[in-house]
Amino acid sequence: MRGGMLEGMQVPARFSPELWIFLAPRNRRPEVLLPYDGTSSLGHLIESAGVPLTEIGEPAAGGRPVGPSYRPGPDETVEVPAVRRPQAVPDCRFVLDVHLGTLARRLRLVGLDTAYRNDMDDDALIEQAGAEGRVLLTQDRGILRRRSLRCGAYVRGARPDDQLFDVLDRFRPPLAPWTRCTACNGRLAPVVKAEVEASLEPGTRRSYDEFARCLACGRIYWRGAHSGSLAAVVDRALHAVSGV
């Protein structure tokens, strides 16, 4: 032993293939040997390999279910599954980090309560998530490893639509399309044309008769030229959560 370390001690670990994206390329294989000091928790060992605890299910050591605080023994193989999908959360309300603005608009489009600002730092995001009971969605693994974060999730995919369907697959939330303002997250309510007519461009006034207005910011919505592509996103989202 040197400096409190059990020199050369390693723990065999088997990570679910869904978690391999978090591992160093050299560790992306069925079983890896992780350096271990003999005293750290299993949770620390998993995170030191690059996997946030928000992304795992119930780990096992020596074939027995254990918690993140467990200290693995020298002869135990650790198994780390991915989080079970769909993941149950008390209330599917989200807050997104600053790099996921387009995803925020997609989530609002399908009716999900989604907080987003492009000027929030990590501490503010975590504070808002905790205070409002929201799931923090991010592609920043460092945020997910913060001890003060109560509930978070890594968003997979580079394209906004891929990110949307990853979130829907993970949480399977109830959807209410066309009920939220994509700009501010406020609730939409139907409004008669006469009440908003003065704010409309002449072409819009001539072509459309059904409108909704955001109760928070006052923005006016109607099924315009881009409604077809947005409707396709909504239809795919409804299909995704239906399990059909």
Side-chain angles (χ1 to χ4, degrees):
M1 180 180 291
R2 180 170 57 190
M5 291 284 289
L6 293 177
E7 189 171 0
M9 184 174 178
Q10 295 178 312
V11 171
R14 299 171 182 166
F15 289 92
S16 171
E18 293 93 332
L19 300 175
W20 287 10
I21 63 169
F22 301 109
L23 301 175
R26 66 180 181 278
N27 288 335
R28 294 172 185 171
R29 57 182 189 270
E31 184 172 300
V32 297
L33 295 175
L34 301 179
Y36 185 50
D37 61 9
T39 61
S40 296
S41 68
L42 177 57
H44 177 80
L45 186 67
I46 292 170
E47 287 192 323
S48 68
V51 181
L53 297 185
T54 58
E55 306 310 300
I56 71 168
E58 184 178 47
R64 297 174 294 105
V66 296
S69 61
Y70 180 77
R71 295 179 181 179
D75 300 320
E76 292 181 320
T77 296
V78 169
E79 297 182 26
V80 187
V83 65
R84 185 186 296 273
R85 296 188 178 212
Q87 179 181 355
V89 294
D91 190 7
C92 278
R93 305 170 70 234
F94 303 103
V95 57
L96 276 62
D97 78 13
V98 298
H99 304 291
L100 296 175
T102 303
L103 174 60
R105 291 189 290 274
R106 290 282 196 275
L107 292 170
R108 291 168 178 172
L109 174 67
V110 298
L112 295 172
D113 186 345
T114 304
Y116 171 80
R117 283 173 47 187
N118 63 7
D119 60 351
M120 301 278 279
D121 61 23
D122 294 356
D123 290 336
L125 286 168
I126 292 171
E127 182 179 356
Q128 182 176 8
E132 300 177 5
R134 296 179 182 271
V135 180
L136 174 55
L137 301 181
T138 182
Q139 292 186 322
D140 184 336
R141 305 173 193 187
I143 298 178
L144 295 177
R145 290 197 290 267
R146 296 277 290 271
R147 291 289 177 263
S148 54
L149 178 63
R150 295 181 185 176
C151 188
Y154 181 81
V155 177
R156 298 168 184 252
R159 298 172 57 249
D161 283 350
D162 294 336
Q163 296 168 355
L164 170 64
F165 292 110
D166 178 62
V167 174
L168 297 181
D169 179 68
R170 178 158 177 171
F171 296 101
R172 298 287 178 89
L175 304 184
W178 316 107
T179 61
R180 286 194 177 272
C181 177
T182 57
C184 82
N185 195 45
R187 294 278 190 178
L188 299 183
V191 61
V192 296
K193 185 175 182 177
E195 291 186 29
V196 298
E197 201 163 11
S199 303
L200 304 176
E201 296 290 337
T204 302
R205 192 181 307 128
R206 289 193 303 269
S207 303
Y208 303 100
D209 295 308
E210 295 183 1
F211 298 88
R213 181 165 55 195
C214 176
L215 298 176
C217 73
R219 183 170 179 169
I220 302 168
Y221 287 84
W222 63 93
R223 300 291 178 91
H226 299 293
S227 63
S229 60
L230 295 178
V233 173
V234 168
D235 288 344
R236 292 198 302 272
L238 290 170
H239 179 77
V241 301
S242 69
V244 178

